Amino acid sequence: HAGGYSLAGLRAGWHEKAFQQEALCAFVLIPAAFWLGQSWEQTALLAGTAILVLIVELLNSGIEAAIDRIGPEWHELSKKAKDMGSAAVLLALCLCGAVWAAALYHRFIA
C-alpha cells in the first residue's frame, strides 16, 4: 500500500501551483544535468538539487495541509510552522541555484 500512498501524495502535490512550477523546472534541469555534468558526481549533484527542491516543497505542502486541518483561525505557532516550511523551500531553491550557477560558470567561463 505504501507505493499507492506515495503516488497519491505526488498527485496531491501536483495540485499545488508551486510544486507544478518546480516540477516543470526539474523536467528541464534533470536532463540538462546529464548534458552539463562532466562526471557522474556532478550529474548527480545537479539532478539531486533539482529533486531536493521537489522533496522540500512536498514536505512544506504537507505542513501547510496539517496546519490548515487544525483550523482556519490565525495562531502564532501555525504562522511559525508555515513560515519555516516556506523558508526551507527558499533554502533548497538557493542551494539548487548556487550549484547550477557554479556548474555553468565552471563549464563555460572558467
Side-chain angles (χ1 to χ4, degrees):
H1 295 289
Y5 297 142
S6 298
L7 291 175
L10 286 172
R11 279 192 298 274
W14 186 253
H15 295 292
E16 299 288 329
K17 188 58 87 177
F19 184 80
Q20 290 175 3
Q21 294 168 350
E22 292 156 355
L24 292 175
C25 287
F27 290 143
V28 172
L29 291 178
I30 292 171
F34 289 92
W35 170 77
L36 182 61
Q38 295 179 339
S39 67
W40 74 266
E41 294 95 341
Q42 288 181 0
T43 301
L45 184 61
L46 290 165
T49 56
I51 293 170
L52 178 66
V53 170
L54 297 177
I55 293 168
V56 176
E57 184 62 52
L58 286 171
L59 292 171
N60 180 48
S61 294
I63 290 168
E64 289 180 351
I67 295 300
D68 291 345
R69 164 65 176 88
I70 293 169
E73 66 278 352
W74 187 90
H75 191 280
E76 181 62 34
L77 292 176
S78 296
K79 180 184 180 330
K80 184 176 181 179
K82 287 185 171 191
D83 288 350
M84 290 169 62
S86 181
V89 173
L90 176 64
L91 290 177
L93 287 167
C94 289
L95 174 65
C96 185
V99 167
W100 275 86
L104 288 167
Y105 175 82
H106 184 307
R107 175 84 182 253
F108 296 111
I109 297 174

